[in-house]
Amino acid sequence: MTTFNVKRKPWLLAILLLTVNLLLLSACGSSNKADESEKDRKGTQTEKSKTGGSVVVAIPQDLDYLDPNLAEAAGTREVMFNIFEGLLKANTEGGLDPAIAESYDISDDGLTYTFTIRDGVKFHNGQTLTSKDVAYSYAKLAGLKTGKPLSSSFANVKKIETPDDKTVVIQLKEKEAAFITAVTASIIPANYKDSNKTPIGTGPFKFVEYKKGQSLIVEKNKDYYVKGIPYLDKVEFRIVPDQEAAFLALQSGEIDIYPRIATEKAEQLATGFKTISNEQNLVQLLAFNNKVKPFNHIKVRQAINYAVNKDEIIKGVALGKGTKIGSNLSPVLSKYYNNELEDLYPTDTEKAKKFLKEAGYPNGFEFTITVPSVYPFHVDTAQVIVNQLEKIGVKAKIESVEWGVWLERVYNGRDYETTIIGLDGKLDPFEILSRYISTADNNFLNFKDPKLDKVLSNAKVEIDENKRITDIKEAQKIIAEDAAGVFIMDPHTNVTFKDTIKGYKTYPIYVQDLSSVYLDHPQ
Amino acid sequence: MDYVLKKTVSSLFTLFVVIVLVFLAFRIIPGNPANIILGVEATPAQVEELEQKLGLDQTLFEQFIHWFKGVLVLDFGESLRFSEPVLSLIHERMGVTFSLAFMAIVITIFVSIPLGIIAANYKGKFLDVLISIGTQIGLAIPSFWMGIILIMIFGLMLHLISVGGYVPWSENPLRAFKALLFPATAIAIPQIAILVRYLRTTMIEQLNFDYVRTAKSKGLKDSTILLKHVLKNALIPVITIAGLNFGAILAGSLVIEQVYALPGFGRMLITAIGDRDFPLVQGMVVMIAIIAITVNLLVDISYRYLDPKIKLK
Amino acid sequence: MLKKFNLVTGGAIVLFLILVFIVSFFYVPHNVNQMNIENRLIAPNHNYLLGTDNFGRDVLSRIMKGTQTAFIVGGGSVIIGLLFGILIGTTAGYFGGWMDELLMRMIDALLAFPGILLALILVTIFQPNIEVTVIAIGIMTIPSFSRVIRSGFIKCKQMDFVRAARNFGSSHLRIIFHHILPNTVSSIIVTASLSFSTAILVEAALSYLGLGIQPPDPSWGRMLNEAQGFAKLAPWYTLAPGFMLTLTILGFNLLGDGIRDLHDFSE
C-alpha cells in the first residue's frame, strides 16, 4: 500500500491496521490463541453453549477419491483430515500430536517403532479400533503384499506386527527419521472395501453424503475420543471452483468460511467478516539451474542474491503479505527454522557488480526466467526481478509457459536457466530439504554440494531431536551460502469467515480443521 | 439440391481435415497429461502407470483410430482430468455459453431494429450521422474491454452487479439472468453496430421501391408504411445475418467468459488445453468446427437462394 | 458527405497514431519498464499524465510504447496474410477446378479452427513472444485475403481485356501480375486496413488471456489484464489502454470504409 492510498481513503487505513494486527497475531503462530483470549474475555460462554450449529466451507476443487488410499489431490486430503486419522496427527505448530496412538517408542537403532493404541477409539460405524486395523491400513500403503507401495513415505517399511490388540510394531528397512510423519496416514477398518463410497474413519466428523462436483457433508462424531470435540453438528464442504462465485456466496451468507481468498477480495469485504492471514509453509524462490553457465559460478548466484530486493517484491507483488526467508524452509516450522539467513544477502548493487566482475562478467549477461503462466504471482515477481537486475547490468528475459510445459521442461527435464516457483512445504524438514541432495530425483536445481549431502544424510537418520535440529539448520545455511537460488518469501494465505465463527485454526500443512470451530451465538 | 449435396460433402471433408489437424497438433506440443494430473511429487513409475491407464502408451496411429472410431458414433471418450464423458462435460458448459449467445442475440435485435429504423428514416440528417458514428465506435470497442468497463460502472461504482455468481437457470433464474445480462451486453454491442448498418441499408433500399410510393400515394401514414411494410421486408435478411453471426458471437463469448468468470465453454477449453486433456480438447474443437462449418454452409446456401444473382454455371 | 467523413476522420486518427508510433522510438516521458514500488497506482498528475500502474511504471509511456507492439503485430500479420493470400487466392481464382476446391476447403478448415487454439499451439511449440504472435495472427488473416483475391480473380478472369491478353499469347504469370492483380488492389487495400485493426484486436485479446506478448514488454491487452484487478483502486490504468485500443481499431476501420466508399463512388 502506498501512503497515497491511506491518505485519501481513511477506511483503507483501518483495514490496513486490522490486517497488520492479524498479521502480528499470526506471525507468532497463534491465531488460535487469539481466539482463546477472546473466549476468556467473553467468559460467559460455557462449553455447552458452544456446541451445535453447522457451517459451510468453500473448497475450490472436486474430490478425486473418497478412499484415502487412492486420493492424490491435496484438495481431497485437506477435507478428509476431518474424517480420517492416523496414529499421530499434525498440530498447528508443525509438530505431531498423539491421535490413535497414545504413545510410541523408537528403538535405539531407529529401525523399530512401537505404538500403543489409545483405549476406546471407535470407527464411525461403531466398531472398536484395534491394532489389526492399523496393520491392515499401513500394510496396504507399504504394499507389503503386492510389492508396490501405494505411498512413497511407506516404501521403507519392512514388516508390520501386532503382538496384541493394543500394540503395533513397524520395522523399517533402514533408518529414517522422517518416517514418524508418515504415520499420520489414514487408518480404515480392516478389510473394508467400500471406502470410496462410504468412507469410515475415526476422525471428529463422520461422512454423511457426497455429491459429485457439488458438496461433501459430514456430521459430528459423538463418540470422538477427545471429549467435547467437535462443537459443530454438521459441516458442508461446498465445491465452488470459481473464485468470484465463492466470493459472492460468502457475501450473500451462503458460505461461512472461505479459505485462500485473494487479498484484494478480502479487503473489499464489509464488516461482519474476519480474515486471518498467515504463512503457508511455502517457499517462493528464484531457482537457478546450478549446472548451466553462468549459474554454475557461485559468485554469479551470489551477485544475483545481492541484487534482488526481497522487501520490494513482498511489498509490490504480495501487497505486503509475505514473510521474508533466507533458505528453503518456511518460518512456520519454527523448531527447525534457521532465522539467521534472511539478511545473508542485503540488497547491495555495488557488491553484486563486484561479484559479477570477479566471476568474469564485468558487463553482465543475459538470461531467461521461465515462469508458469498459471501463477500471475510468480509472473509479477519475475517482472520485478527483471527490473532489479537491470541495475547491475544483467538482462533477464521472461518466458511464461503453460503449467504442463513447465513440469515437463523445467521440473522434469531440467532444461532451463532460472525459474520462479513456490515449493510446497511438508511436515518434516528433511523431506523439504532433501531435494538439494545431489542425487535426488526432484533436484531440479541441479544443486550439488558434498557438504550438504553429508549433513542431510545425517539428518535423515538422526533420531535425537536436538542433533537433528542442528543438522537441519546447518543444511539451510549451506543452501543459502551456496546460493542455490534466491529464496524470496513465504507468501501468506488468507482465510475469511463470518465473525460469528470462532476457534478456526491454521496449519502449516494443507488442511481444514473444523473440530475446533464453534459458533458464537449472539445473546 | 445437387449444389447443397456437393457443398455438404466438401464440408465433411473440411471437418475431417480439422479433426486430423487437431489430433496431431496436440500430440506434438510439449506437456504430458499424466504429469499434469499427478503434479510435482509424482515418481516416474506413477506417471508411467497413469499413462497406461489413460491409454497414452499406444502409438499415435492406434490412438487416432481408437478416437476416430468413437467420433463416428458420437462418442468422444472420457476427459482425462475429470474422468467424465466429454459429451456430458460439453453439454454442461454449453448451457452457459449458449444462454449467453442467445441473450446477446435478443439484445442485439431489440436494440438494433429501432436504431436502424431511425437511421433509415432520417437518412443524412443529424440523427443518422450520430447513429453512424455510434456504430463505428461500437464496432471498434473490444468486447472484453467493454466488459471490464461495465463491471467498473455497474459493479464497482453503482454496486448493481457482482462478477461471477452464475448459477444454472434451473436453480435460480433471476440470478442466472443477472449474471449473464452484462456479459451478453458486452458481446451484443459490436453485433448491434453491424446489424444497424445492415438494417439501415436494406431499409433505404426498400424505401425506394415502387410499393412504398404506391402506398404513399394511397395516403397511408409514413409510420404505417415504415413499420408495416418496409420493416417487414427488411427484416428477413437482417434476421438471417443475426443468425449467421452466431459463430462470431460464440467466439466473443470465449474471452468474455474469462472477464466475467463464467463457467462456460471457452473457459473450459482454455483449462483443458492447459491440462493437455486431449479427449476434451479434441471433442470441443470438433464441436466448434461443426458449428463453424455448418454456419458456413448455411451462409453459402442461403446466399444462393436469397440472392438470385449467384447462380451456378 | 458521410463518405468523405469516414476517410478524413479515419485518416486523421491513423496519422495521429503513426505520429505517436514514431515519437515513441525517440521520446517517452519515463522509462517504460522502470519500476518504483513506492509510486504504485498514483492517480494522473502533472508528472504522470496517465498515472502509474501496480509496479509504479508510467502508464502514458507504456501506452506510447504499446503502439510499437500494435503496429508490429498489425503490420507483420497483414504482410503474412497478404503474401499467402496472393499465393492461394490467385492459384485458386485463376486456375480454378480441383485446385480451387482443395485450397478453399483448406481455407475453410483454417476458419473452423479456433484462432486462440492456433495461437496457443504455436506459442507452446515455439516461445511466447512477439514473432510467434505475429505469425499466429498472420495465419488467421490468410483466409480473408485469399477469399477477396480469389473472388477478384474470378470476376476479372471473364473480362474482355483478360481474354484479349490470353489470345495474344501472354503468359499466365504476366496475366496474373500485370493484368488482373492491379485490378484487385483497391479491395486488397480495404482488406488490409480492416485486417490490420482485427489483428490488433486479436493480439490484445490474446495478451489479455496471457498468451500473446510477454511481460514486461508493453502491450495494451496485457496492460488490461494486469489492470483489471485494480479497476476500483486505479480506474485510469484500465481506461487508458482500452481507449488507445478502441481509437486504433476505429481509425483503421474508418480508413478502410473510407477507401471502399471512394472506390464505389468512382465505379
Side-chain angles (χ1 to χ4, degrees):
Chain A
M1 286 301 138
T2 58
T3 45
F4 151 77
N5 284 320
V6 175
K7 260 189 249 157
R8 288 226 354 220
K9 301 196 171 102
W11 54 270
L12 249 179
L13 182 67
I15 290 176
L16 202 68
L17 287 176
L18 187 72
T19 349
V20 168
N21 250 323
L22 291 169
L23 273 180
L24 287 175
L25 289 172
S26 59
C28 14
S30 61
S31 46
N32 45 332
K33 281 180 199 138
D35 278 333
E36 273 158 29
S37 67
E38 211 162 332
K39 188 175 72 190
D40 293 344
R41 189 166 47 81
K42 291 219 166 187
T44 50
Q45 195 168 11
T46 60
E47 283 294 309
K48 195 154 190 195
S49 72
K50 281 158 109 183
T51 57
S54 65
V55 299
V56 180
V57 185
I59 53 171
Q61 71 275 70
D62 200 358
L63 312 179
D64 53 352
Y65 293 99
L66 296 178
D67 184 339
N69 288 341
L70 298 176
E72 293 275 358
T76 306
R77 279 184 246 155
E78 148 179 82
V79 297
M80 289 305 181
F81 187 78
N82 295 287
I83 297 180
F84 293 109
E85 285 179 323
L87 292 169
L88 306 178
K89 197 170 186 171
N91 65 27
T92 53
E93 309 291 315
L96 295 170
D97 285 346
I100 288 171
E102 61 182 10
S103 65
Y104 65 94
D105 181 59
I106 306 173
S107 66
D108 289 340
D109 63 1
L111 290 176
T112 310
Y113 287 65
T114 310
F115 297 90
T116 309
I117 290 169
R118 188 191 294 266
D119 273 328
V121 176
K122 279 187 175 156
F123 280 112
H124 296 152
N125 60 0
Q127 192 185 324
T128 304
L129 180 144
T130 70
S131 57
K132 299 274 181 310
D133 302 306
V134 180
Y136 170 80
S137 307
Y138 287 177
K140 220 168 141 186
L141 288 172
L144 291 185
K145 270 192 197 143
T146 57
K148 267 194 198 163
L150 282 174
S151 155
S152 56
S153 349
F154 279 89
N156 190 20
V157 171
K158 195 160 114 197
K159 60 179 175 190
I160 303 173
E161 288 165 333
T162 50
D164 60 58
D165 273 2
K166 291 267 158 270
T167 315
V168 179
V169 182
I170 301 179
Q171 294 269 355
L172 298 187
K173 291 174 194 158
E174 51 193 74
K175 260 172 114 176
E176 185 189 2
F179 178 72
I180 199 67
T181 59
V183 299
T184 53
S186 311
I187 293 167
I188 59 171
N191 300 312
Y192 184 63
K193 298 279 186 265
D194 276 339
S195 273
N196 210 25
K197 258 204 220 132
T198 336
I200 294 177
T202 58
F205 289 95
K206 51 179 169 185
F207 173 84
V208 176
E209 188 187 18
Y210 164 66
K211 281 193 215 139
K212 196 169 174 54
Q214 291 181 38
S215 64
L216 170 78
I217 297 172
V218 296
E219 67 178 12
K220 179 177 184 165
N221 174 9
K222 292 201 182 79
D223 296 328
Y224 194 54
Y225 55 81
V226 183
K227 288 296 154 234
I229 280 183
Y231 301 109
L232 296 167
D233 287 337
K234 200 180 106 183
V235 177
E236 178 185 345
F237 294 98
R238 191 174 298 171
I239 299 154
V240 193
D242 202 280
Q243 289 188 25
E244 304 294 341
F247 185 54
L248 193 84
L250 179 75
Q251 285 172 300
S252 67
E254 283 169 53
I255 285 173
D256 303 296
I257 301 177
Y258 181 5
R260 290 177 294 276
I261 183 174
T263 302
E264 67 269 15
K265 287 209 175 67
E267 285 176 357
Q268 279 176 40
L269 279 168
T271 53
F273 296 96
K274 192 174 164 185
T275 300
I276 299 181
S277 309
N278 65 308
E279 293 100 346
Q280 49 180 325
N281 197 3
L282 185 92
V283 167
Q284 189 204 25
L285 79 163
L286 169 72
F288 302 125
N289 188 343
N290 284 256
K291 224 177 187 171
V292 305
K293 257 183 129 175
F295 301 104
N296 55 358
H297 200 301
I298 184 169
K299 292 259 170 178
V300 170
R301 302 197 297 265
Q302 289 174 332
I304 294 192
N305 264 288
Y306 279 117
V308 171
N309 181 343
K310 301 174 194 173
D311 295 316
E312 205 174 78
I313 298 172
I314 292 171
K315 203 167 164 193
V317 179
L319 309 180
K321 292 193 172 186
T323 305
K324 188 156 82 166
I325 52 173
S327 188
N328 199 356
L329 205 77
S330 155
V332 269
L333 298 178
S334 47
K335 206 160 49 169
Y336 299 102
Y337 180 67
N338 188 337
N339 61 1
E340 291 158 5
L341 305 171
E342 292 135 31
D343 292 309
L344 188 65
Y345 303 101
T347 311
D348 187 337
T349 316
E350 288 317 308
K351 208 161 183 178
K353 278 187 187 158
K354 200 181 119 224
F355 273 49
L356 273 187
K357 208 169 156 193
E358 286 168 19
Y361 297 96
N363 302 317
F365 56 92
E366 284 185 22
F367 74 99
T368 306
I369 308 177
T370 310
V371 224
S373 56
V374 280
Y375 296 110
F377 192 87
H378 297 323
V379 179
D380 282 354
T381 305
Q383 290 206 53
V384 178
I385 288 179
V386 167
N387 199 255
Q388 292 171 345
L389 293 183
E390 252 169 34
K391 289 176 198 137
I392 60 162
V394 171
K395 260 196 89 169
K397 212 181 88 204
I398 299 172
E399 178 199 18
S400 70
V401 296
E402 282 179 286
W403 180 237
V405 177
W406 188 88
L407 274 175
E408 185 160 318
R409 239 179 52 205
V410 177
Y411 194 78
N412 294 329
R414 301 188 192 176
D415 172 22
Y416 73 104
E417 289 187 304
T418 65
T419 184
I420 297 176
I421 191 69
L423 294 174
D424 272 328
K426 301 186 183 69
L427 270 184
D428 187 79
F430 171 78
E431 297 204 328
I432 299 173
L433 296 175
S434 64
R435 75 163 72 248
Y436 291 92
I437 295 174
S438 53
T439 54
D441 277 341
N442 57 356
N443 183 355
F444 73 102
L445 299 96
N446 281 321
F447 184 74
K448 199 175 171 182
D449 187 324
K451 259 190 320 191
L452 181 80
D453 287 357
K454 192 156 173 297
V455 172
L456 282 180
S457 68
N458 283 343
K460 185 176 182 197
V461 294
E462 184 56 68
I463 311 286
D464 183 289
E465 187 71 15
N466 288 329
K467 282 188 195 154
R468 195 161 190 250
I469 289 174
T470 319
D471 283 343
I472 295 287
K473 284 193 174 167
E474 177 64 20
Q476 291 171 56
K477 196 168 160 224
I478 295 171
I479 293 170
E481 281 174 349
D482 259 5
V486 181
F487 300 95
I488 305 167
M489 67 172 122
D490 183 350
H492 296 172
T493 171
N494 310 307
V495 187
T496 294
F497 40 82
K498 286 186 194 153
D499 59 9
T500 50
I501 285 173
K502 305 284 170 192
Y504 186 89
K505 286 187 195 167
T506 58
Y507 280 77
I509 51 172
Y510 204 76
V511 296
Q512 294 298 324
D513 179 10
L514 274 300
S515 65
S516 60
V517 171
Y518 62 94
L519 296 175
D520 182 14
H521 302 288
Q523 307 296 311
Chain B
M1 235 29 240
D2 208 28
Y3 173 79
V4 174
L5 190 74
K6 199 182 144 212
K7 275 281 166 194
T8 313
V9 171
S10 70
S11 296
L12 284 176
F13 174 72
T14 309
L15 190 60
F16 182 74
V17 173
V18 173
I19 285 178
V20 176
L21 277 182
V22 161
F23 187 86
L24 285 180
F26 265 81
R27 308 287 159 147
I28 54 171
I29 60 177
N32 174 350
N35 235 330
I36 296 168
I37 293 171
L38 292 174
V40 287
E41 298 302 329
T43 63
Q46 281 173 306
V47 173
E48 209 174 293
E49 202 176 324
L50 187 62
E51 275 178 353
Q52 264 175 27
K53 209 169 106 191
L54 300 176
L56 298 169
D57 53 337
Q58 299 172 341
T59 64
L60 263 192
F61 187 70
E62 281 170 345
Q63 289 185 45
F64 180 74
I65 294 297
H66 179 77
W67 177 66
F68 190 67
K69 270 188 194 157
V71 172
L72 290 181
V73 291
L74 285 180
D75 172 14
F76 290 93
E78 261 193 8
S79 151
L80 304 182
R81 174 114 230 175
F82 303 102
S83 338
E84 256 181 77
V86 167
L87 266 187
S88 75
L89 281 169
I90 291 179
H91 177 80
E92 214 173 89
R93 298 304 186 95
M94 268 297 187
V96 182
T97 307
F98 274 144
S99 316
L100 197 57
F102 181 71
M103 271 177 79
I105 290 178
V106 172
I107 294 172
T108 307
I109 290 176
F110 274 91
V111 176
S112 44
I113 288 176
L115 286 181
I117 295 174
I118 295 169
N121 205 24
Y122 294 94
K123 186 188 159 199
K125 305 243 174 64
F126 174 72
L127 265 180
D128 180 29
V129 176
L130 200 70
I131 290 173
S132 165
I133 293 173
T135 57
Q136 282 289 6
I137 293 174
L139 263 182
I141 293 180
S143 59
F144 62 96
W145 187 52
M146 195 68 221
I148 300 174
I149 298 282
L150 289 176
I151 294 176
M152 278 172 76
I153 297 174
F154 294 99
L156 299 178
M157 285 158 66
L158 302 177
H159 298 285
L160 286 177
I161 48 162
S162 181
V163 176
Y166 173 81
V167 291
W169 291 92
S170 53
E171 230 171 80
N172 186 342
L174 185 70
R175 227 166 97 182
F177 178 78
K178 264 176 80 180
L180 293 179
L181 180 62
F182 287 92
T185 310
I187 299 171
I189 285 174
Q191 299 301 325
I192 293 174
I194 294 171
L195 210 56
V196 166
R197 297 169 101 188
Y198 202 85
L199 201 62
R200 176 180 175 274
T201 321
T202 47
M203 296 257 307
I204 290 171
E205 248 171 53
Q206 293 283 330
L207 281 171
N208 289 332
F209 279 135
D210 286 344
Y211 75 89
V212 176
R213 277 184 222 139
T214 321
K216 266 193 184 161
S217 66
K218 275 189 183 165
L220 282 175
K221 266 198 286 181
D222 275 6
S223 61
T224 321
I225 302 171
L226 204 66
L227 292 180
K228 269 205 154 163
H229 301 281
V230 177
L231 182 64
K232 212 172 96 189
N233 283 318
L235 262 188
I236 303 158
V238 163
I239 287 180
T240 319
I241 290 289
L244 293 182
N245 266 347
F246 196 64
I249 290 171
L250 280 183
S253 72
L254 202 92
V255 185
I256 282 291
E257 281 169 19
Q258 209 70 17
V259 178
Y260 281 84
L262 291 170
F265 195 80
R267 261 167 69 101
M268 186 162 80
L269 181 63
I270 289 171
T271 30
I273 291 171
D275 289 344
R276 296 289 181 278
D277 195 335
F278 297 139
L280 189 53
V281 175
Q282 288 159 3
M284 295 181 91
V285 174
V286 170
M287 229 37 164
I288 297 174
I290 290 176
I291 295 174
I293 291 170
T294 315
V295 166
N296 234 326
L297 188 68
L298 290 178
V299 177
D300 283 355
I301 295 173
S302 61
Y303 272 3
R304 196 175 124 75
Y305 290 105
L306 283 182
D307 184 358
K309 270 178 278 177
I310 311 174
K311 281 268 186 224
L312 265 191
K313 285 157 269 178
Chain C
M1 198 274 298
L2 204 63
K3 286 172 182 174
K4 278 273 165 33
F5 173 83
N6 282 351
L7 191 69
V8 171
T9 324
I13 293 175
V14 170
L15 268 181
F16 167 73
L17 290 168
I18 291 174
L19 200 69
V20 176
F21 171 68
I22 292 170
V23 168
S24 74
F25 282 97
F26 306 103
Y27 171 78
V28 282
H30 294 266
N31 183 327
V32 198
N33 290 332
Q34 182 59 53
M35 293 183 183
N36 188 344
I37 306 288
E38 298 297 323
N39 285 348
R40 63 198 299 267
L41 301 177
I42 291 185
N45 61 21
H46 61 93
N47 190 11
Y48 298 103
L49 287 178
L50 291 177
T52 63
D53 69 7
N54 53 325
F55 294 115
R57 296 175 295 198
D58 179 35
V59 173
L60 176 63
S61 307
R62 291 182 68 74
I63 294 263
M64 287 175 69
K65 271 277 191 252
T67 51
Q68 293 180 14
T69 311
F71 274 54
I72 290 169
V73 171
S77 51
V78 162
I79 289 171
I80 292 175
L82 186 63
L83 288 180
F84 283 89
I86 289 179
L87 200 68
I88 296 170
T90 48
T91 321
Y94 184 77
F95 296 105
W98 65 269
M99 194 86 127
D100 178 27
E101 190 63 27
L102 183 75
L103 285 172
M104 282 305 113
R105 290 297 77 76
M106 306 268 272
I107 291 293
D108 283 349
L110 199 55
L111 273 178
F113 210 79
I116 300 263
L117 207 61
L118 184 75
L120 196 79
I121 292 168
L122 286 169
V123 159
T124 325
I125 299 176
F126 305 102
Q127 276 185 359
N129 57 28
I130 192 157
E131 292 89 348
V132 176
T133 311
V134 168
I135 293 172
I137 299 176
I139 293 175
M140 288 160 65
T141 329
I142 295 174
S144 56
F145 277 104
S146 305
R147 288 185 155 185
V148 162
I149 294 170
R150 172 180 173 267
S151 67
F153 266 70
I154 290 177
K155 219 192 277 168
C156 285
K157 205 163 70 170
Q158 310 300 334
M159 286 184 182
D160 290 343
F161 71 97
V162 175
R163 284 194 187 152
R166 203 175 290 148
N167 288 340
F168 280 117
S170 301
S171 70
H172 286 317
L173 277 181
R174 193 175 156 75
I175 296 174
I176 290 172
F177 288 104
H178 200 81
H179 295 289
I180 305 184
L181 206 55
N183 277 293
T184 59
V185 160
S186 61
S187 54
I188 289 178
I189 290 177
V190 173
T191 312
S193 185
L194 297 179
S195 298
F196 194 91
S197 66
T198 314
I200 290 174
L201 183 64
V202 173
E203 182 272 308
L206 276 178
S207 302
Y208 174 76
L209 295 176
L211 306 172
I213 309 300
Q214 293 302 299
D217 291 344
S219 141
W220 298 332
R222 180 137 195 120
M223 287 175 82
L224 278 177
N225 171 342
E226 288 176 5
Q228 199 182 348
F230 303 97
K232 190 171 185 178
L233 232 49
W236 57 88
Y237 186 18
T238 303
L239 292 174
F243 179 76
M244 274 307 269
L245 207 48
T246 309
L247 192 69
T248 310
I249 297 165
L250 183 66
F252 283 92
N253 277 352
L254 285 175
L255 190 66
D257 282 359
I259 296 170
R260 181 166 35 206
D261 296 342
L262 213 60
H263 180 69
D264 287 349
F265 206 55
S266 64
E267 238 176 23

